[in-house]
Amino acid sequence: RRSRRAHRPEGLRDRGSLLRRAAARTPQKNETIASNRVPKGNGRMSAQNESTSRNPFTIHGTDHVGFIVGNAKQAAAFYQDRFGFEPIAYKGLETGSRDKTCYVLKQGKVVLVLETPMIPDHPHNAHLIKHGDAVKDIAYWVDDTRKAWDHVTAMGAKPVREPHEMQDEHGRVIAATIATYGDTTHSFIQRDGY
């Protein structure tokens, strides 16, 4: 009886040997495997100037990652116990919110927003039924929310929520949201007044 290995065409041994060969391969003379460098002296703009001219707004980093979860209190306890996140904000029945409960956790530069719908007809329920506990929004910290919004919608991004201001005793934030792939969204958050 012949072994399965004998039936494989040459070069299709197993995944491990292919990965080992690819990792061991070194580029040949005058060969570039991957490079983001722009050759100097060819009359093109530098990478920094090119980047600035293509990007009419600045993304400083990730503002937060928003999750929709079935039980925000339990999810917050999980991230605190397992990953060392600290609670920095809460919104729920005790603070007057009747439609959803929200915990905001932070660890280093990472901020998680965990939201749970509290009423049957809340739009988050459809997301929970379809995806379970999942990321809903990846929010970017930008220098100018309106400029970011204008640029991406002009380029064809589907608007979800236009730029709007939120204010409390600590200051003002400007936010806007666009749709991305599937049910995930991207928000632009401007915190210069907060």
Side-chain angles (χ1 to χ4, degrees), residues 25-69:
R25 184 179 175 278
T26 56
Q28 301 298 316
K29 187 175 181 180
N30 298 326
E31 178 186 17
T32 302
I33 291 194
S35 174
N36 292 330
R37 292 183 297 139
V38 176
K40 293 184 179 180
N42 64 356
R44 292 187 58 185
M45 294 170 40
S46 71
Q48 183 178 4
N49 290 340
E50 189 175 342
S51 174
T52 304
S53 69
R54 286 184 297 165
N55 300 326
F57 64 94
T58 302
I59 296 177
H60 297 289
T62 304
D63 187 80
H64 67 271
V65 177
F67 289 80
I68 297 177
V69 296

Side-chain angles (χ1 to χ4, degrees), residues 20 26 32-33 43 77 83 92 110 116 120 123 130 146 150 165 167 169 189 193:
R20 282 189 295 279
T26 56
T32 302
I33 291 194
F83 295 97
V110 178
T116 296
K130 187 173 181 181
R146 287 182 178 87
D150 289 343
E165 291 186 18
Q167 194 166 350
E169 66 275 4
I189 309 293

Side-chain angles (χ1 to χ4, degrees), residues 1-186:
R1 191 170 184 192
R2 297 176 113 182
S3 71
R4 288 180 151 249
R5 189 174 202 130
H7 294 284
R8 291 186 186 156
E10 182 61 35
L12 294 179
R13 292 179 180 88
D14 62 70
R15 219 181 241 170
S17 67
L18 290 174
L19 292 175
R20 282 189 295 279
R21 281 191 294 168
R25 184 179 175 278
T26 56
Q28 301 298 316
K29 187 175 181 180
N30 298 326
E31 178 186 17
T32 302
I33 291 194
S35 174
N36 292 330
R37 292 183 297 139
V38 176
K40 293 184 179 180
N42 64 356
R44 292 187 58 185
M45 294 170 40
S46 71
Q48 183 178 4
N49 290 340
E50 189 175 342
S51 174
T52 304
S53 69
R54 286 184 297 165
N55 300 326
F57 64 94
T58 302
I59 296 177
H60 297 289
T62 304
D63 187 80
H64 67 271
V65 177
F67 289 80
I68 297 177
V69 296
N71 186 335
K73 184 175 184 177
Q74 182 180 11
F78 172 80
Y79 283 104
Q80 290 174 63
D81 292 344
R82 302 302 196 295
F83 295 97
F85 279 85
E86 295 291 329
I88 60 170
Y90 168 78
K91 178 169 119 176
L93 292 172
E94 299 84 352
T95 63
S97 175
R98 299 266 182 232
D99 64 337
K100 66 181 173 182
T101 298
C102 178
Y103 287 82
V104 181
L105 308 174
K106 183 173 185 177
Q107 204 241 50
K109 293 182 178 182
V110 178
V111 177
L112 303 180
V113 177
L114 309 168
E115 294 185 23
T116 296
M118 300 296 288
I119 55 175
D121 59 344
H122 196 284
H124 287 355
N125 284 320
H127 192 274
L128 271 172
I129 290 168
K130 187 173 181 181
H131 303 287
D133 291 2
V135 171
K136 173 62 178 163
D137 185 50
I138 300 171
Y140 298 109
W141 170 32
V142 297
D143 60 341
D144 188 335
T145 295
R146 287 182 178 87
K147 189 185 278 187
W149 170 265
D150 289 343
H151 176 72
V152 299
T153 54
M155 299 298 289
K158 180 181 173 190
V160 172
R161 188 161 185 199
E162 292 186 12
H164 60 283
E165 291 186 18
M166 298 176 282
Q167 194 166 350
D168 66 11
E169 66 275 4
H170 301 291
R172 175 183 67 109
V173 172
I174 302 171
T177 306
I178 60 167
T180 59
Y181 299 102
D183 296 323
T184 307
T185 59
H186 284 316

